[in-house]
Amino acid sequence: MKSIIKPAFLALAMMAVLPSCEVERLPETSVSDETYWRTESDLKTAANYLYMYLPGFGTFTPPGYNNTFNVTYGTEDVWSDDAFGLATNNISDGSRLAPATATDYNTNYLLIRAANNVIEKAPRASAATSATIIDRYIAEARFFRAWGYYALVQRYGDVPLILKTLDDTSAELQAPATPRAQIYDQIYQDLDYAAQKLPTATALGTADYGRISNTAALAFKARVALFEGTRSKYHNYGEPTKHLKLAVDAAKTVIDSKQHDLFSGSYFDLFQLAGEGRQNRENIIVKQYGVSSTDRVATQNFFRSSLETGNMNPTKSLTDSYLMKDGLPTAKSPLYKAPTKSTDVFVNRDTRMSDTFFKMGDAWIGTKLVFDIAPLVFNRTGFTFRKYSNLDDWVTTQSLIDRVLLRYAEVLLTYAEATYELNGTISDADLELTINRLRARGGVAKLTNAFATANGLTVRDEIRRERRVELAQEGFRYWDLIRWKTAEIELPKPVLGNYFFRTEYGTTTAVNLTSDNYILVQDASFRKFDPNRDYLWPLPINEIALNPTLKQNPGW
């Protein structure tokens, strides 16, 4: 059985906040700081609050706010070419405008403010608590501060760097944005501190499963450094070599720690209750929901509210990325045959495809127990994502399946990609250590340098393909396109769906088709991406009005 992290009401009261400007100020509450920060229990309760900000599924409303101030998680892939929802998405099709407010901007500063509060006040417990314990909870807070700043700089670039709690008179409220390079240096410092002071995953064990470990800090550092290393390389700024080396070193340290390994069960079960808890050493960071209906943090309804109802559906572009079992793409493999029925799409294919997409015969929903074909009125691409689907959860609408936020497979992918980007090559030994372990899970032939050359493939593209397939439906694709500077190529393309199997789909739903009979979901004429504008998100207009030293990002 897994343990769960429960934020106490005391912490919620202590940390209550009200929306303000570009950095959140924490007013004093009925809880006295002078009497609170005394024991390890106090520190743990305060740190527990930070875990609420890990992205789960559905809508998150920070404590103290009404439901007009929230952020929705779980369908981020509709920003990319991997997925399409019930309607067009203004991020992926380039039609959005600069917003007046942005809840993700404010929410991350709420997290940073709460983390700074713990970092500043935890030492007050020194009379009754050891320095080791105090350092541990400061380390958790510094991890979460790094988490919040990475989310901000990833979207907006330069943002205000606030490393202490503020009040209404603080000069920092009118400070200009801090250059992204300086923010990354601070993120690395926080994560290095966390890696030094936090327990190992083994030491956390079952009792503290779900808390941040030292390898979680290192794995997240590898993610951050890969993003900035490749982004600076392909966008031609900064110090890509510095970041890529940090990514390689952090990922390799996690690998060498032997704290984690790939899940021994099926890829599908990795995203089910069977894949939860410390017995699954692949999971490094998760958003926890609970153990049972009576022992839970919360519940989620992601399958019924998002996957089944069409808020995020796979595209043909994503399906085309899945290799045939011989390790070749469909355009090159002699195993590929043009499909004549929907199940043909999965024949001789990477098995992770059938674990990620619904196919005929899979358990489906309470009103239709067995899946046959995607209903186009909801699943407009003719495909339906399958990760986290569970028939019992559909019936109860109260799923306790944790959301996996960082797993060992990503660490392997990061090590492979950062190694290649840093050196311009990768050895077969490193491919065996990383990419080929993941291909084995999907029943796909190994990748070697000789295999790539013999079949007219590039190793870089195959590493990127493997990342897309392994991490599909997990929210990575949009940011990969951003850092590789390929969003301007991929996002303006038409959005296509499955081959239109007329006898299976029927004709009750109007559908547009291409000349070769694929479902046309959105024509290219309705999609655009401005490379001079869209690689950064627009700062919220209200934040600029509150702090005139902030400058809007170019083109917005």
Side-chain angles (χ1 to χ4, degrees):
M1 297 289 284
K2 62 180 180 178
S3 64
I4 53 177
I5 299 168
K6 293 184 177 180
F9 288 111
L10 179 62
L12 299 186
M14 180 185 66
M15 302 290 184
V17 287
L18 297 172
S20 57
C21 65
E22 78 284 346
V23 288
E24 299 300 326
R25 285 99 79 174
L26 181 66
E28 293 301 322
T29 70
S30 59
V31 177
S32 170
D33 273 354
E34 297 306 317
T35 61
Y36 181 75
W37 301 90
R38 298 291 180 87
T39 67
E40 179 180 353
S41 178
D42 292 344
L43 301 185
K44 188 172 186 178
T45 299
N48 284 355
Y49 175 81
L50 304 174
Y51 286 84
M52 296 181 66
Y53 286 85
L54 288 174
F57 293 118
T59 299
F60 169 65
T61 304
Y65 290 80
N66 59 37
N67 59 12
T68 63
F69 183 88
N70 55 48
V71 59
T72 301
Y73 297 118
T75 57
E76 295 90 346
D77 280 301
V78 298
W79 301 344
S80 76
D81 58 345
D82 270 6
F84 194 89
L86 286 166
T88 59
N89 179 267
N90 64 9
I91 294 177
S92 70
D93 71 12
S95 64
R96 65 177 162 167
L97 303 173
T101 61
T103 53
D104 69 290
Y105 187 92
N106 293 96
T107 299
N108 281 299
Y109 272 115
L110 286 172
L111 171 59
I112 290 163
R113 175 59 176 83
N116 284 339
N117 200 45
V118 175
I119 293 166
E120 287 181 5
K121 295 173 182 175
R124 296 183 188 178
S126 58
T129 308
S130 71
T132 300
I133 296 298
I134 291 172
D135 287 348
R136 172 182 174 176
Y137 290 108
I138 290 175
E140 284 195 11
R142 291 188 69 167
F143 170 87
F144 280 102
R145 183 167 69 182
W147 183 282
Y149 269 117
Y150 175 61
L152 287 167
V153 75
Q154 189 181 39
R155 289 163 171 77
Y156 302 101
D158 301 350
V159 294
L161 179 62
I162 308 298
L163 301 177
K164 64 179 184 178
T165 55
L166 306 180
D167 59 33
D168 289 338
T169 64
S170 297
E172 289 86 352
L173 293 173
Q174 298 297 312
T178 304
R180 66 187 296 140
Q182 186 177 336
I183 297 172
Y184 274 105
D185 285 344
Q186 182 61 51
I187 290 172
Y188 294 144
Q189 289 176 35
D190 283 346
L191 294 176
D192 286 343
Y193 182 92
Q196 292 168 8
K197 302 295 185 180
L198 290 174
T200 65
T202 298
L204 288 173
T206 300
D208 274 334
Y209 174 75
R211 302 201 80 87
I212 301 300
S213 65
N214 70 326
T215 45
L218 288 167
F220 184 62
K221 181 181 179 181
R223 175 190 290 182
V224 171
L226 176 68
F227 179 86
E228 190 61 5
T230 49
R231 193 184 193 284
S232 57
K233 177 178 179 177
Y234 289 105
H235 290 256
N236 195 29
Y237 68 87
E239 302 176 87
T241 299
K242 165 189 169 180
H243 299 288
L244 290 170
K245 189 175 188 310
L246 289 173
V248 169
D249 292 345
K252 191 61 163 61
T253 302
V254 175
I255 294 170
D256 291 344
S257 75
K258 307 298 183 184
Q259 291 290 308
H260 303 280
D261 202 351
L262 296 181
F263 181 48
S264 59
S266 73
Y267 184 76
F268 177 75
D269 280 346
L270 181 57
F271 307 95
Q272 299 291 309
L273 290 173
E276 295 197 348
R278 177 56 185 157
Q279 77 280 359
N280 174 11
R281 296 171 61 209
E282 182 163 347
N283 289 345
I284 299 177
I285 303 175
V286 300
K287 173 71 171 185
Q288 289 187 298
Y289 282 92
V291 176
S292 67
S293 60
T294 57
D295 188 10
R296 67 190 187 190
V297 177
T299 61
Q300 47 95 350
N301 192 24
F302 178 62
F303 174 33
R304 188 164 179 174
S305 65
S306 290
L307 301 186
E308 181 218 345
T309 55
N311 288 320
M312 187 173 72
N313 310 297
T315 62
K316 182 178 183 293
S317 177
L318 174 58
T319 64
D320 286 348
S321 296
Y322 287 83
L323 294 168
M324 306 301 292
K325 287 185 176 294
D326 59 7
L328 295 175
T330 56
K332 290 178 176 285
S333 174
L335 296 177
Y336 179 74
K337 308 296 181 186
T340 59
K341 57 183 183 298
S342 61
T343 52
D344 290 346
V345 176
F346 302 97
V347 173
N348 287 324
R349 218 62 184 270
D350 185 330
T351 60
R352 287 171 295 180
M353 184 176 180
S354 60
D355 285 337
T356 303
F357 304 158
F358 274 100
K359 62 187 179 303
M360 187 178 294
D362 289 333
W364 180 223
I365 59 177
T367 55
K368 188 176 184 179
L369 298 180
V370 179
F371 185 85
D372 50 16
I373 197 74
L376 295 178
V377 66
F378 297 119
N379 308 122
R380 294 188 56 198
T381 65
F383 291 112
T384 307
F385 276 126
R386 190 177 176 221
K387 285 182 182 177
Y388 298 103
S389 69
N390 184 286
L391 178 57
D392 293 338
D393 291 350
W394 188 96
V395 174
T396 63
T397 69
Q398 292 185 332
S399 178
L400 298 174
I401 299 174
D402 294 342
R403 184 181 185 186
V404 183
L405 298 174
L406 199 161
R407 53 191 177 90
Y408 187 62
E410 182 192 341
V411 175
L412 299 181
L413 289 163
T414 295
Y415 180 72
E417 184 181 350
T419 297
Y420 185 88
E421 294 293 352
L422 182 64
N423 303 319
T425 186
I426 183 172
S427 68
D428 285 349
D430 277 337
L431 288 174
E432 191 70 12
L433 176 69
T434 57
I435 299 300
N436 288 332
R437 293 201 64 198
L438 303 179
R439 286 194 172 199
R441 174 148 67 184
V444 176
K446 292 181 178 182
L447 174 66
T448 65
N449 285 279
F451 179 88
T453 300
N455 289 283
L457 304 172
T458 66
V459 173
R460 186 193 73 174
D461 288 347
E462 292 310 299
I463 291 172
R464 291 182 177 185
R465 180 201 302 277
E466 188 62 34
R467 179 179 176 87
R468 186 179 190 181
V469 165
E470 175 67 30
L471 301 179
Q473 201 196 321
E474 297 180 51
F476 289 91
R477 176 64 175 176
Y478 171 80
W479 296 113
D480 289 342
L481 296 178
I482 293 296
R483 64 189 178 90
W484 294 331
K485 207 177 183 296
T486 55
E488 63 202 73
I489 299 169
E490 302 299 335
L491 292 185
K493 293 179 179 178
V495 178
L496 303 180
N498 201 358
Y499 190 86
F500 185 68
F501 304 100
R502 187 173 299 276
T503 57
E504 295 182 64
Y505 284 118
T507 57
T508 57
T509 301
V511 59
N512 295 320
L513 301 175
T514 65
S515 59
D516 49 355
N517 208 47
Y518 285 93
I519 298 169
L520 176 62
V521 184
Q522 189 179 24
D523 190 79
S525 61
F526 295 102
R527 300 179 64 81
K528 62 183 178 179
F529 185 94
D530 183 352
N532 296 314
R533 185 194 73 167
D534 292 334
Y535 280 111
L536 289 174
W537 286 23
L539 288 167
I541 294 171
N542 286 356
E543 304 304 326
I544 297 173
L546 289 165
N547 179 6
T549 65
L550 288 179
K551 304 301 179 186
Q552 184 58 279
N553 280 323
W556 294 101

